[in-house]
Amino acid sequence: MSQSAIVQDIEKTGTSVELLDLIRNRRVSTVFQPIVSVIANDIIGYEALSRGPSDSSLYSPAMLFRVAKESGLLSELEDACIESATRMFNEQRLHGRLFVNITPEALNDDDSFTERLEKIIATSGMPSENIVLEVNERYSQEREDSISDTINKLKKLGFGVALDDLGSGLSRFDRWASLRSDYVKINKCFVQGISKDPVKQALVRSIVDISASRGASVIAEGVETSEEAETLLGLHVSLMQGFLICRPAAFPVIDSASFRGISENRKMVDKVQVIAIEAPTASCDTALSVLKKRFVDEPNLPAIVITENGKPVGVVQKRSLSSALKKKSWKGKFSFGTTEEIMNKHFICIEGTSSIKSAAAAVVADKNRVIGDVFVIVNKGMFVGVGDIMGLLSKFVDSHN
């Protein structure tokens, strides 16, 4: 064996001994990061993050678990982390649910892990319903059936399950479909810069829609700016975690009124502008053939807004255009007919700074509204986007539940 190899072996052995000492003497500690409902301005729970002593090479969780895996101490470390998390959670009398990270190796341990977990939880006095086990989506495919079986057993025992880091392994989205998780945590790579990235917005929108159909709540991780929070709120993600709210801490902030950024986020969540949908514009003299092609090319297009000098003067939806073109009086005019002749001039127009409540009231009061119609959103009279009437009413109902 070379000298460098001998040195590495000695260092590895020394680190393993240090880790065993940390476990035996309960020197593995926990910091907590709040998970909040921005709409309710309340904490729904805390994620527990394990740390070694600050003066140790094993301070970071990555190093802790790497050494544990290499030393065959993964089960012991896992148990120590859960024990520390439940103990400190109880000592500080934190409210909400405790989110703890579980390694794929532990879940693959089946009955052994389940028994150890039940024992730790029984000692802590915490009901299993108050604990959410975070499972990373990147576990190996060959272990998938075993891990799924363990997760199902844990759910039957009352534990909640969160699928963590969704999006870090896009090729494994099918695992999401196979796991009946209570929460889905969006990886921070989707969150960072989302306010300026329409592709990320589309992906998050898809995650939200699928989660809703499966009864799972969506949590955005790594929220660091008010712009990210505003965009997420517009995409119907109201559960957030990140530096904007609170950094991980041994004694986290528990006064919801002191959250950094929450007051600003609450102001924007109740405004119509957060549900604005981008829509193309056209002029009054645009040919009907141009509009028809646009709707054919983009089947999901909500509407085309007719503007003059940036101000909306009419709305054309696919339904109204098709209806007009079916009429005998229009069949001969199609090639030279213009938008102004068929556009809806009696559309609902709402300022983006209006509250969801006042906008819903305005929509309900409009006797000419049709389910499936859109309304126009403006900023000081200038066109901003459109809103879905059903979506507006649904958001109003949700905010009052």
Side-chain angles (χ1 to χ4, degrees), residues 240-287:
M240 303 184 197
Q241 174 182 358
F243 289 174
L244 176 68
I245 298 156
C246 182
R247 290 176 177 269
F251 300 95
V253 175
I254 59 174
D255 178 7
S256 61
S258 67
F259 287 152
R260 291 178 296 124
I262 288 295
S263 58
E264 289 82 1
N265 291 337
R266 288 207 66 187
K267 290 177 185 176
M268 61 193 168
V269 72
D270 188 42
K271 304 302 180 185
V272 172
Q273 61 194 19
V274 304
I275 61 172
I277 305 168
E278 186 177 352
T281 60
S283 63
C284 291
D285 58 359
T286 300

Side-chain angles (χ1 to χ4, degrees), residues 17 22 63 120 163 232 273 301 311 333 401:
V17 171
L22 296 182
M63 182 61 74
I120 295 170
L163 186 58
L232 289 163
Q273 61 194 19
L301 194 64
K311 296 182 178 182
K333 297 182 179 181
N401 284 339

Side-chain angles (χ1 to χ4, degrees), residues 207-326:
I207 291 172
V208 169
D209 289 344
I210 298 172
S211 296
S213 71
R214 301 183 67 81
S217 300
V218 177
I219 300 172
E221 296 183 298
V223 181
E224 297 185 0
T225 69
S226 58
E227 290 80 12
E228 290 167 354
E230 179 177 359
T231 302
L232 289 163
L233 284 167
L235 295 170
H236 306 294
V237 179
S238 61
L239 302 183
M240 303 184 197
Q241 174 182 358
F243 289 174
L244 176 68
I245 298 156
C246 182
R247 290 176 177 269
F251 300 95
V253 175
I254 59 174
D255 178 7
S256 61
S258 67
F259 287 152
R260 291 178 296 124
I262 288 295
S263 58
E264 289 82 1
N265 291 337
R266 288 207 66 187
K267 290 177 185 176
M268 61 193 168
V269 72
D270 188 42
K271 304 302 180 185
V272 172
Q273 61 194 19
V274 304
I275 61 172
I277 305 168
E278 186 177 352
T281 60
S283 63
C284 291
D285 58 359
T286 300
L288 294 179
S289 57
V290 174
L291 268 60
K292 182 180 179 182
K293 186 177 186 304
R294 189 68 184 264
F295 280 119
V296 170
D297 292 342
E298 300 178 52
N300 296 322
L301 194 64
I304 297 175
V305 178
I306 314 306
T307 61
E308 285 185 355
N309 300 318
K311 296 182 178 182
V313 295
V315 174
V316 177
Q317 291 188 251
K318 186 175 183 179
R319 181 184 65 252
S320 58
L321 178 61
S322 298
S323 177
L325 295 180
K326 285 179 181 178

Side-chain angles (χ1 to χ4, degrees), residues 125-142:
M126 290 183 66
S128 58
E129 290 79 9
N130 282 10
I131 297 175
V132 178
L133 306 174
E134 294 196 17
V135 184
N136 194 290
E137 70 155 341
R138 290 175 288 183
Y139 53 77
S140 61
Q141 189 170 0
E142 57 270 18

Side-chain angles (χ1 to χ4, degrees), residues 168-213:
S168 58
L170 291 176
S171 62
R172 301 309 302 156
F173 262 56
D174 56 315
R175 288 184 182 154
W176 178 20
S178 66
L179 289 177
R180 290 285 179 178
S181 61
D182 304 287
Y183 298 91
V184 172
K185 301 189 78 175
I186 302 175
N187 186 274
K188 63 182 181 181
C189 69
F190 277 3
V191 172
Q192 293 174 347
I194 191 173
S195 60
K196 299 179 181 179
D197 193 328
V199 174
K200 290 183 178 180
Q201 292 172 25
L203 287 168
V204 169
R205 190 178 293 112
S206 297
I207 291 172
V208 169
D209 289 344
I210 298 172
S211 296
S213 71

